[in-house]
Amino acid sequence: MASPYASFILDWNGRILVCNRRAERSFAPATQPGCGTLNGTCISKLTTLETERVVERLRDGTAKGAMTLPMTAGIRTAASPDTEFRVSLLRSNAQGERLILLTHDQLRVAADSLRQMNELRSKLNSELHGAKNANLKLQETLLSMEAFAHAASHDLRTPISTLSGSLHYFWEHYAGDLPETARDFLQHMTRATRQMDRLTTELLDHSVSTSARINVQEIAARDAVSEACTSLSQELQACGGKIRVNGDGFRMHADPTLLHLVLTNLLSNAIKYRHPDRSLQITIDLSGAGRDRWNLSVADNGTGFDPEDRHMILQPFRRAHREIEGSGIGLSTCAEICRRHNWLLTADAEPGKGAVFTISFG
């Protein structure tokens, strides 16, 4: 059985007189074990120190029985870059000559390294367990918040619908007998009710986008775009907007309901932020660079936004145009749906010239 000790016998000046194979393999791996090529060389050649410093450490080590050397090769613990040696003085046949025996217990060092590794693994496992528990609590909190948002927005629909219907009836039957100031207040109330109704609808959509189960189906992109355009045909006619679709399209795997929500939100966004001085033009491009790399972009010639806000507007309740009514939820809903499908939604624009939103598939 091979010795677990790497051993050197040195003269008083640090010159190697003899060493065993383990010492050669551990600290001079480039040499052929057992060939004795280290014999006659100074041990400083195997360290990062100058000869004088090594000799100084050797002689100091003979008094203490131990020393360390920064060897250029060998097993080292994570705590110490130096290699530990036991130091002993030997008698020599030559009268007055003192020899130094250096021994290095590599099994002990390996055992220390293994112990440190096990301690680190135990610590990492403990941290991982804590992270999993924290993640579970976070998921529970998010689910609770999503359920609350869904319930709150859903329960608000009934009183808002009642209020909206009552205001409409009141306006139709009694507005003519009211003074101008009262009619102005009635218009403010009606406008605020519509805004609240739109906000609760978008909150419901956002709740669905984050919590609803995804029912993936194979869908033709051009068919999905056509359905979204059809659903907004009245809004487009009212503002005189036109839509042009480029590209033959492609087939994708997506939840049809959520994909429809993304497309209608992007088109509604273009309609809402159209430029007041020109007719709305929306261009939808279906393009690809390979079988699994496709893009769907929705570009308009509207008011655009500051390019520095391209990331901000994809977050909930963040809006680039405060002067235009809106909740700041629509684009964040699109971003969340894309994230759940492993798609990438990006936004870019030029102020006063238009905006473009791109979904990258694959």
Side-chain angles (χ1 to χ4, degrees):
M1 181 177 179
S3 171
Y5 298 98
S7 302
F8 295 93
I9 296 179
L10 315 174
D11 65 13
W12 192 243
N13 294 313
R15 184 166 57 93
I16 300 173
L17 302 179
V18 65
C19 63
N20 64 2
R21 291 192 176 189
R22 183 169 292 277
E24 291 177 327
R25 286 195 298 267
S26 299
F27 303 111
T31 63
Q32 184 67 29
C35 66
T37 55
L38 294 180
N39 296 347
T41 63
C42 184
I43 196 171
S44 63
K45 299 294 184 182
L46 306 180
T47 73
T48 59
L49 298 178
E50 297 294 332
T51 302
E52 292 77 7
R53 292 283 296 138
V54 172
V55 172
E56 181 182 340
R57 287 200 183 190
L58 285 172
R59 295 178 180 178
D60 185 59
T62 58
K64 297 179 179 179
M67 62 172 290
T68 61
L69 284 174
M71 308 298 285
T72 56
I75 301 175
R76 300 180 184 135
T77 64
S80 174
D82 286 347
T83 303
E84 297 179 1
F85 290 95
R86 287 202 297 268
V87 186
S88 304
L89 277 175
L90 299 178
R91 294 181 179 179
S92 172
N93 292 331
Q95 187 174 4
E97 185 177 4
R98 289 173 293 180
L99 303 181
I100 301 172
L101 172 64
L102 293 185
T103 56
H104 173 64
D105 188 352
Q106 292 190 312
L107 285 184
R108 184 182 64 80
V109 175
D112 288 344
S113 297
L114 183 61
R115 177 183 53 78
Q116 293 176 9
M117 184 179 67
N118 287 334
E119 290 176 353
L120 179 60
R121 182 174 61 182
S122 178
K123 181 180 178 181
L124 291 176
N125 285 336
S126 177
E127 292 178 352
L128 179 61
H129 182 70
K132 286 182 177 179
N133 287 336
N135 184 58
L136 287 175
K137 291 180 180 179
L138 178 60
Q139 292 297 326
E140 291 174 358
T141 302
L142 289 175
L143 288 174
S144 177
M145 293 175 63
E146 290 167 3
F148 172 78
H150 186 276
S153 56
H154 186 273
D155 291 344
L156 282 172
R157 297 289 297 160
T158 299
I160 290 174
S161 297
T162 301
L163 179 60
S164 178
S166 299
L167 287 172
H168 179 73
Y169 182 84
F170 193 87
W171 181 267
E172 289 290 329
H173 292 82
Y174 302 108
D177 299 329
L178 295 174
E180 186 67 26
T181 302
R183 286 198 298 270
D184 289 341
F185 277 112
L186 190 59
Q187 287 180 341
H188 289 316
M189 294 168 62
T190 302
R191 184 162 51 251
T193 303
R194 285 199 302 266
Q195 186 177 4
M196 187 180 296
D197 182 66
R198 184 168 55 251
L199 177 60
T200 55
T201 300
E202 292 180 353
L203 279 172
L204 277 171
D205 289 341
H206 188 74
S207 177
V208 169
S209 73
T210 57
S211 60
R213 181 178 179 180
I214 297 179
N215 180 25
V216 176
Q217 300 178 22
E218 187 175 15
I219 304 172
R222 199 172 183 91
D223 291 344
V225 168
S226 178
E227 291 177 8
C229 294
T230 301
S231 66
L232 293 173
S233 58
Q234 292 184 355
E235 289 85 347
L236 286 167
Q237 290 177 4
C239 69
K242 301 292 182 182
I243 296 181
R244 182 178 61 189
V245 181
N246 298 329
D248 295 330
F250 49 90
R251 302 192 70 82
M252 70 179 81
H253 290 87
D255 184 300
T257 302
L258 296 180
L259 177 61
H260 182 77
L261 184 58
V262 170
L263 296 177
T264 53
N265 269 338
L266 294 180
L267 292 175
S268 297
N269 198 71
I271 295 172
K272 180 189 298 184
Y273 297 106
R274 62 187 181 275
H275 200 283
D277 298 332
R278 53 177 175 262
S279 299
L280 174 63
Q281 296 288 336
I282 301 175
T283 301
I284 301 176
D285 281 316
L286 305 172
S287 59
R291 181 178 178 182
D292 298 320
R293 297 177 59 192
W294 297 93
N295 292 331
L296 188 157
S297 64
V298 178
D300 62 63
N301 64 339
T303 56
F305 55 85
D306 189 335
E308 293 184 357
D309 295 333
R310 61 169 63 94
H311 301 297
M312 178 268 289
I313 62 173
L314 299 179
Q315 301 174 12
F317 305 107
R318 306 296 295 273
R319 301 169 54 205
H321 300 279
R322 296 290 179 182
E323 69 279 6
I324 300 177
E325 288 187 6
S327 62
I329 298 177
L331 289 178
S332 66
T333 298
C334 295
E336 178 62 22
I337 292 173
C338 290
R339 184 194 65 80
R340 295 188 67 198
H341 281 81
N342 292 320
W343 304 335
L344 177 64
L345 175 63
T346 56
D348 202 359
E350 188 173 352
K353 294 187 178 181
V356 56
F357 295 87
T358 303
I359 304 173
S360 300
F361 306 90

